[in-house]
Amino acid sequence: MYDTNNIFAKILRGEVPCKKVVQGDYFLSFHDINPKTNVHVQVIPTGPYINAHDFIQKASQDEQIGFWQGVNETITALNLKGNGYRLIMNTGTNGRQEVQHLHIHILGGNDIGPMVVKK
Ligand code: 5GP
């Protein structure tokens, strides 16, 4: 069940401030409060979706297209296309998802190293 009191829902409602990058009908992007790289931004859908599979299964076509357009607009606004970036969508317990509103991390601005440390 989607928790309407998660921190990103509060950001969407304007109850918690954020450093906005771009906003559209179906998405909001903003800088991460605890950046792991020189550029670390979150893109979130405006609808109440918990994670990747919740969004893929339930969101309308307009919402899904609008979200990915938001990712593209944010990458463009951050000027990351030239040197590259990484997109991460942590999901569930094993994915170490902390905030239970779908979000995609955009990480860039420096060489961010290997994708995952091998166990
Ligand atoms: P997750 O582990 O769920 O994939 O990532 C959650 C991200 O949300 C973390 O990178 C964390 O720093 C970020 N975050 C948590 N609370 C806030 C907040 O209040 N504002 C912003 N801008 N980012 C937050």
Side-chain angles (χ1 to χ4, degrees):
M1 232 294 265
Y2 180 82
D3 172 15
T4 55
N5 281 322
N6 76 73
I7 191 74
F8 288 177
K10 290 181 179 175
I11 287 175
L12 276 171
R13 290 196 296 267
E15 295 166 12
V16 169
C18 71
K19 202 173 152 201
K20 192 190 298 181
V21 180
V22 199
Q23 186 164 21
D25 288 345
Y26 295 108
F27 76 93
L28 171 67
S29 61
F30 53 89
H31 289 272
D32 197 284
I33 204 167
N34 183 22
K36 305 293 192 302
T37 48
N38 287 347
V39 178
H40 185 178
V41 165
Q42 301 294 337
V43 188
I44 65 174
T46 50
Y49 301 104
I50 300 169
N51 55 31
H53 49 270
D54 191 35
F55 184 70
I56 292 163
Q57 287 163 13
K58 295 182 192 158
S60 69
Q61 279 194 14
D62 283 350
E63 287 177 304
Q64 302 216 21
I65 292 166
F67 173 72
W68 288 110
Q69 283 173 339
V71 173
N72 187 46
E73 283 180 36
T74 303
I75 290 164
T76 302
L78 295 167
N79 202 21
L80 292 177
K81 287 185 180 172
N83 288 325
Y85 52 87
R86 183 172 297 158
L87 302 177
I88 297 177
M89 206 181 261
N90 295 324
T91 302
T93 307
N94 282 359
R96 301 276 190 111
Q97 181 180 3
E98 290 170 11
V99 178
Q100 303 304 311
H101 180 109
L102 171 67
H103 50 281
I104 192 160
H105 298 250
I106 300 176
L107 296 150
N110 56 277
D111 178 354
I112 58 183
M115 186 171 69
V116 179
V117 178
K118 196 174 176 188
K119 286 256 178 194

